[in-house]
Amino acid sequence: MSIQNVLVKALLRLIRKPIYASEQTLRQHIARARKKEKGDPPPSVQRACQIEKDSWQGITCYTLRPFSEKGANGHVLYLHGGGYHGEMVPQRWQWLSTLINRSDVTATVPLYPLVPEHTYRDTYPWLFALYQHLCDTLHPENLTIMGDSAGAGMALSLVQQVVAQGLPHPKQTLLLSPWVDLALQNPAIRQRDRSDPTLTSAGLLVAARWWAGGDDPASPVLSPIHGSLAGIGPLLIAVGTDELFLPDTLLLRERARAEGVDLEFIEKEGLAHLFMFAPIPEAKPVVDRLVERLKH
């Protein structure tokens, strides 16, 4: 384990983990974040990519293209994480801009409505319509669905809905540290509350309740681990062993294998939630693999 990884996890435990201690700490964090986080790409990303800002059916969408190339290797619909309450933060923007430049792909990034003001009902029908629009504009075989954390759960749910409605599945779905059961019903998850350096189940369950908006958070639409995986197309899942979500991710792996999914599963020892965004040497092989998947 690198010293960089040790330091990053210590910093996460100090700064990020307290956010999810309770509903009160989560609300306090959201109030502070709303004053400074707008979700827009920072200047460094604006210099690194061609960026277009648009409103599609009332929700802001950004399109990023590499400066040096033309996005010849396809299109990515990227769904950001943040516990359904967090904006697309500069770190994610910078990571994504590097990824699309290395991969020569174009990316669509929607800034979907967030909790506690909004629920999944304000996003999911819109997201399905956006997928249909992208399929009409592009060939589905050139479209990758990608998400991290809460966004990864949304990505998997979207693909399940697409298949259930008889639409063509995307080229592939890439899930980074996915949150796939909003109800956190797996008892092994609660046992990891102390060991995970980033997340705590108490705050996550609050965000899940807000996002569900009175519906059952364990329903397959909100918790895609309970939905069918048949016919979803190629799937990549990347997770660290220090994650709260690891038990559910392992369960998702077994269900995917049982349903015949073309699965690539990456499990990294001693790494935290969303380790692939961190400035640590252990992240590089996973990012390199994502680039390979997007190029081919």
Side-chain angles (χ1 to χ4, degrees), residues 74 269 274:
E269 183 68 31
L274 297 177

Side-chain angles (χ1 to χ4, degrees), residues 89-220:
V89 295
Q91 182 188 21
R92 279 185 173 89
W93 280 117
Q94 291 159 358
W95 183 88
L96 183 61
S97 69
T98 299
L99 189 71
I100 69 168
N101 275 299
R102 289 186 58 192
S103 309
D104 188 21
V105 296
T106 299
T108 293
V109 184
L111 302 187
Y112 56 88
L114 303 172
V115 300
E117 299 88 353
H118 299 276
T119 74
Y120 81 99
R121 289 184 288 273
D122 299 313
T123 294
Y124 277 31
W126 177 92
L127 192 57
F128 187 85
L130 177 62
Y131 182 87
Q132 290 178 300
H133 171 71
L134 290 173
C135 285
D136 291 340
T137 308
L138 312 162
H139 293 294
E141 59 267 26
N142 293 325
L143 178 61
T144 293
I145 309 299
M146 185 176 185
D148 71 83
S149 193
M154 291 172 61
L156 182 55
S157 177
L158 171 62
V159 177
Q160 289 171 330
Q161 294 175 60
V162 161
V163 172
Q165 293 298 319
L167 295 179
H169 66 67
K171 170 187 175 181
Q172 58 185 340
T173 304
L174 310 179
L175 307 180
L176 312 178
S177 296
W179 183 9
V180 291
D181 180 7
L182 265 63
L184 301 180
Q185 296 176 102
N186 191 329
I189 287 180
R190 305 300 178 88
Q191 298 170 10
R192 303 175 68 85
D193 263 340
R194 290 188 177 182
S195 60
D196 184 305
T198 310
L199 302 171
T200 301
S201 59
L204 290 172
L205 289 170
V206 171
R209 187 181 76 242
W210 291 340
W211 186 244
D215 290 347
D216 182 3
S219 69

Side-chain angles (χ1 to χ4, degrees), residues 278-295:
I280 57 175
E282 293 90 342
K284 184 179 183 303
V286 177
V287 176
D288 289 346
R289 181 58 186 143
L290 294 173
V291 170
E292 291 176 6
R293 294 278 305 226
L294 292 172
K295 280 185 172 181

